[in-house]
Structure formats: structure tokens, C-alpha cells
Amino acid sequence: MKNTISLILCLSILFFLLSCNKSSMENNEKIENNKISLVENSNLRLPTKSQFASVSQVIGTSDIFISYFRPSVNNRTIWGDVVLWDSLWRAGAEGASTFRISNNARVGGKPIPKGDYSFFVIPRKNLPWTIIFNKNINLFGIHLYDENEDVLRFDADAINSPFVETMTFTFSKVNSYSTILKLSWAEKTIEIPIDFDKTTSWNNIKKFIENNEQPDSLLWRDYLSIGNYCVFTEDKDYALYSMGLIDKSLDIQETFENLKIKSDLYAVLSQYDSASKYAKDAHALGSTTGMPLHVANLLEENIRKYNSLNIDNSNLPRE
């Protein structure tokens, strides 16, 4: 009987101690959960193994922005080892790489709406690599990646290239409508063409003029700026449109600047006799109004060039 009572007493004490310990642990957990993390709520920056980077590029009136973490080779075999063949790769390290475009575009020859995307690659040993744009940008690496959220997939060739220790995104062949995005790491590079619609800028220009072309609203310099944009695009259709804008600029105030742009526009249209005439007019007016020396030299060079070409293209409208 005494043994039974002793056993019951011991078990009761043990149960009481366990209950107290559990209660203490729960209280400690509550206290811990209610505490504010000093690290998470401070300005302390902790380094990451791979360093964060971003690269951006303006294409005409469109913006491309890429953010990513940059892994290094560190004497490792990258392709087929660190990055497995035929497997989804985050195209970087740490969090997934992200890609932002401000206007609708064609990437890899396929249309993609403006917006923000995560960026993935499936490397293949002897076949083109698969490039993926996914609409979920809140991914850490490939965790929670869902193929159903892919917005765009296409194939691109991976070419052998000079060794790159730390993974890098760069832009090449940049103009006002397109560029080539390059991803380079170790001894491989993939090139991704990105193209924007040429009409995007001109639709914006035409809309701007329609909304603002009231009496005395636009200055001669406003028309000049648009005409100057057309000159470096070297597009004949837009040159014809801009010619009318430069005439409006000249109607407001004749300057060596807008005379020069009119000369340049005629050169875009291959009407070199008219281009020479307006270059001479610009030089003559500029000589009396404080034209900078480098502009005078450029006009003189253009006059000689246009006179030597002197091409009469009868298929294009003439003044």
C-alpha cells in the first residue's frame, strides 16, 4: 500500500514538474515572439555570399531594368555541375533575377507586355537553352516556381565566349529601338534580342502635339527637338513628318539651329541638293548670330559632302 502511495506521489510530482516546464517554455516562446528583432529593425546590413547588382538601359523612350545576385566561379565547374543540365536555374544566386520593361516589347522574337518578371534559364548541353519570363517576382531562387505563371518561353543559343569569373548581364548593339541582352558566366554567353515598336515614340510625339498645338503653346525649340530626334533615327517616313514640324519652327523664328535640322532631314531623304542649300543658309545666319565654331565646322563639312553626292532621288517629294 505504501509503495502504491509513493508511486502515485512520485507520478504526481513528475506531472507537476512537466506541466510547469511546458508552461515556462510557452511563456518564454510568447515573450520571444513579442520581442522586436534588433537586426531586422535596424540599419545593420549583412553581406550575402553573392553580391547584388542591377543594370539598366534606355532604348528610345523605353526602359529596361534588371536586378540580380552575381555568383562567381571560384575554381568550380559551372555548367553541368554547379548548374545542372536540363534543370531550372535562377540565372543568378540568392533570390530570383528580375526583369522590368516600361513598354510592350518583343523579347527573343516573341511579344511580352510591359511589366515586372522573374527570369529563369534551363541550360542544355548540346541544344539551345530555354529562356523563361515568369510573372511571380517574389520568388527566392526556384522555390515555389510555378510553370503555369510563365509569361514567355523561347530558346536561345549559348555560345562559347571569353571566361567571365562573376556572372554579368550587359547590353550590346544599343539603338533607339532595340538591343541585345547578354548573360555571361564562366565560358558561356547567351544573347537575347529585345525590340520595341518603332511607332511607340512617334505615337507619343503625335499625341503630345495634338494635345499642345494651340496658338503660342509650342516654341520653335519644341518643334526643333522633335525634328532632331528624327534625324538620328534616319527613318524616311518620320523625316517627312518632321519636315512639317521644322517648317512650323521656322515660321515662329528662323535660327541656324532649325535651318540645320531642315538640312539634316533632307539628307535623311537623300535630297542632297536641298540639304546643301539649307546647310548654307544655316551657316550664313549662324555667322551673324554667334554660332559655335564646332557647328560652323560641321556645316561646312556637310556642305562639301552634300555637294559631292548631289543625288537627285525623284521618288521622294522635293521642296
Side-chain angles (χ1 to χ4, degrees):
M1 183 69 176
K2 288 183 178 180
N3 291 337
T4 301
I5 294 173
S6 298
L7 178 60
I8 293 173
L9 181 60
C10 289
L11 290 174
S12 299
I13 293 172
L14 179 61
F15 179 77
F16 174 76
L17 292 174
L18 289 173
S19 299
C20 290
N21 185 55
K22 181 179 180 182
S23 176
S24 176
M25 291 175 63
E26 290 176 348
N27 288 334
N28 288 338
E29 184 176 351
K30 288 180 180 179
I31 293 172
E32 181 66 24
N33 289 337
N34 289 329
K35 286 183 178 179
I36 297 176
S37 169
L38 294 180
V39 172
E40 294 175 0
N41 292 274
S42 71
N43 294 324
L44 177 64
R45 296 182 64 182
L46 298 176
T48 55
K49 184 176 181 180
S50 297
Q51 303 310 301
F52 177 79
S54 62
V55 60
S56 62
Q57 180 64 57
V58 175
I59 304 296
T61 57
S62 302
D63 300 302
I64 306 171
F65 184 85
I66 298 170
S67 59
Y68 65 111
F69 286 87
R70 304 182 63 196
S72 295
V73 174
N74 290 329
N75 296 316
R76 300 176 296 173
T77 299
I78 300 303
W79 307 116
D81 190 353
V82 174
V83 179
L84 299 177
W85 298 122
D86 305 312
S87 297
L88 189 70
W89 174 49
R90 72 189 79 183
E94 311 291 341
S97 299
T98 59
F99 177 95
R100 173 184 296 168
I101 48 174
S102 63
N103 283 308
N104 298 343
R106 296 185 70 84
V107 179
K110 294 186 176 182
I112 186 170
K114 65 179 181 180
D116 296 89
Y117 304 95
S118 54
F119 180 84
F120 299 93
V121 176
I122 300 177
R124 306 189 192 280
K125 188 172 184 178
N126 297 312
L127 293 170
W129 294 14
T130 299
I131 312 301
I132 301 169
F133 289 82
N134 187 281
K135 65 182 180 181
N136 188 348
I137 62 171
N138 299 311
L139 297 173
F140 185 84
I142 62 175
H143 302 295
L144 302 180
Y145 163 80
D146 184 354
E147 183 177 338
N148 293 321
E149 294 183 307
D150 288 351
V151 175
L152 178 64
R153 277 186 173 226
F154 60 90
D155 290 338
D157 291 327
I159 59 176
N160 294 325
S161 58
F163 181 83
V164 175
E165 170 66 24
T166 304
M167 198 198 88
T168 304
F169 280 104
T170 56
F171 294 95
S172 67
K173 298 182 180 178
V174 176
N175 59 44
S176 57
Y177 301 121
S178 64
T179 185
I180 300 292
L181 173 64
K182 291 185 177 182
L183 188 164
S184 302
W185 195 25
E187 67 285 346
K188 294 288 186 182
T189 293
I190 51 176
E191 298 186 347
I192 302 170
I194 302 175
D195 301 276
F196 292 93
D197 189 346
K198 287 186 177 183
T199 63
T200 299
S201 297
W202 283 99
N203 288 338
N204 292 337
I205 288 171
K206 291 177 180 178
K207 186 180 296 184
F208 172 82
I209 291 175
E210 290 172 1
N211 293 337
N212 293 281
E213 198 167 33
Q214 303 298 326
D216 301 325
S217 294
L218 294 176
L219 305 175
W220 68 269
R221 293 190 300 274
D222 297 324
Y223 293 112
L224 177 75
S225 297
I226 297 171
N228 188 49
Y229 168 75
C230 171
V231 170
F232 71 76
T233 64
E234 298 183 346
D235 188 293
K236 294 184 184 297
D237 290 334
Y238 298 148
L240 289 171
Y241 174 79
S242 294
M243 193 70 76
L245 301 182
I246 290 300
D247 285 339
K248 291 180 180 180
S249 176
L250 288 164
D251 288 341
I252 297 171
Q253 181 178 341
E254 187 175 275
T255 69
F256 72 85
E257 291 102 323
N258 48 27
L259 287 170
K260 177 186 178 300
I261 294 300
K262 186 159 187 175
S263 169
D264 294 339
L265 289 172
Y266 272 120
V268 172
L269 295 170
S270 301
Q271 296 185 18
Y272 297 108
D273 50 350
S274 295
S276 176
K277 173 187 179 303
Y278 280 97
K280 291 175 182 177
D281 291 346
H283 190 279
L285 181 58
S287 298
T288 63
T289 56
M291 175 176 56
L293 180 60
H294 73 277
V295 177
N297 292 337
L298 178 59
L299 284 169
E300 291 168 6
E301 179 183 342
N302 286 347
I303 291 168
R304 289 192 294 270
K305 179 173 65 176
Y306 300 152
N307 286 340
S308 65
L309 291 170
N310 195 22
I311 297 175
D312 180 12
N313 190 337
S314 59
N315 293 324
L316 291 172
R318 301 181 59 79
E319 185 185 32

